[in-house]
Amino acid sequence: MRINENVYLFEKIRGANSYLYISDDNDVSIIDTGMPGNAEKILSQILKIGISIEKIKYIILTHSDIDHMGSVADLKNITGAKVAIHENEAPYLLGEKNKKRKGIIGLIFGILFKFIKTQNIAPDIILKEGDFIGGLRVVSSPGHTVGSISLYNAGTVLFSGDAIITDRHSNIKGFNTIATADLFEAAKTISKIKHLEFEVLLPGHGKPVLEKASDKLKKYNKI
Ligand SMILES: [Zn+2]
């Protein structure tokens, strides 16, 4: 689905939202990949848009949860694109560390990891606060996970990963409290993002906010 001239939201992806971002300099990036098994769906939609596979330069992960990184290994193998993730999240992508989650979410993630094979993968690019990649600025957004990021282009877009999610009517829902590792950090991240200006919000889950998104976020006070 075309969001605007720079952004597409892939359709029928299992797991988290997966996006295509085309920068003003024509750098092409995939942002998040959904669960394992989505690579073909993503690539066929990119071809339909009229972009050839070798044009895909980066696969940027907002964090390393399976519903966001599930198809990254397949996509990297096919496209040769460079995989980028925040420095604090890289050990989880590599499989050097496992996230410890409490309660019901811990249980669900435990079961997912047992039954769904994830391929550990070495990132090609390690990101930190303020870096630029594919025409987007890295905004460190810890809370949901320790190395979560948002990706920002001033005045136009913010890809928020799971730092800010929405419902199916594009209403901002803050973050999912039961799936968040550190609630205090997650609330601080939202306060930080409230200082940014963007027209369109592209969340990890839920429907994008297409107009005046940063104004709507500023009015959000349920945290
Ligand atoms: Zn998620």
Side-chain angles (χ1 to χ4, degrees), residues 2-19:
R2 185 183 186 275
I3 303 289
N4 60 37
E5 59 182 342
N6 300 98
V7 183
Y8 291 80
L9 168 63
F10 296 117
E11 285 167 29
K12 301 198 169 98
I13 301 301
R14 284 190 312 120
N17 289 338
S18 174
Y19 297 98

Side-chain angles (χ1 to χ4, degrees), residues 16 63 65 67-68 109 144 162 204-205:
H63 60 294
D65 281 349
D67 54 329
H68 297 254
F109 268 85
H144 176 71
D162 288 3
H205 300 274

Side-chain angles (χ1 to χ4, degrees), residues 125-215:
I125 300 169
I126 299 291
L127 301 171
K128 51 186 188 329
E129 173 77 19
D131 284 352
F132 279 88
I133 181 163
L136 294 163
R137 195 178 102 198
V138 174
V139 179
S140 171
S141 303
H144 176 71
T145 66
V146 64
S148 285
I149 57 168
S150 300
L151 296 154
Y152 175 59
N153 186 29
T156 65
V157 294
L158 181 92
F159 295 88
S160 58
D162 288 3
I164 301 168
I165 57 173
T166 64
D167 66 14
R168 59 199 168 96
H169 304 293
S170 300
N171 297 307
I172 291 169
K173 299 212 5 163
F175 50 84
N176 182 338
T177 47
I178 54 165
T180 292
D182 187 327
L183 298 173
F184 180 69
E185 282 293 323
K188 270 201 336 201
T189 286
I190 292 192
S191 304
K192 174 180 167 184
I193 293 174
K194 278 184 177 179
H195 289 102
L196 306 178
E197 298 295 332
F198 46 92
E199 183 70 11
V200 176
L201 171 68
L202 302 145
H205 300 274
K207 243 183 159 181
V209 181
L210 299 179
E211 283 176 357
K212 299 190 171 63
S214 55
D215 292 344

Side-chain angles (χ1 to χ4, degrees), residues 30-34 59-65 68-70 72 83-86 89 93 121 127 147-149 151:
I30 295 170
I31 298 170
D32 285 339
T33 69
I59 305 166
I60 312 171
L61 298 173
T62 60
H63 60 294
S64 66
D65 281 349
H68 297 254
M69 63 69 78
V72 70
V83 174
I85 196 163
H86 188 272
E89 201 75 4
L93 194 65
I121 172 169
L127 301 171
S148 285
I149 57 168
L151 296 154

Side-chain angles (χ1 to χ4, degrees), residues 44-112:
S44 66
Q45 288 176 58
I46 291 174
L47 288 173
K48 248 191 221 161
I49 293 164
I51 292 172
S52 58
I53 297 304
E54 62 272 14
K55 281 276 288 173
I56 305 163
K57 204 165 175 184
Y58 304 113
I59 305 166
I60 312 171
L61 298 173
T62 60
H63 60 294
S64 66
D65 281 349
I66 188 171
D67 54 329
H68 297 254
M69 63 69 78
S71 295
V72 70
D74 288 347
L75 285 168
K76 180 182 159 68
N77 285 342
I78 299 166
T79 65
K82 301 236 177 299
V83 174
I85 196 163
H86 188 272
E87 57 183 345
N88 293 344
E89 201 75 4
Y92 301 98
L93 194 65
L94 278 159
E96 292 173 357
K97 280 189 187 175
N98 283 316
K99 290 193 195 89
K100 288 189 183 63
R101 282 200 152 93
K102 288 175 231 144
I104 187 82
I105 289 293
L107 206 70
I108 292 167
F109 268 85
I111 292 165
L112 274 178

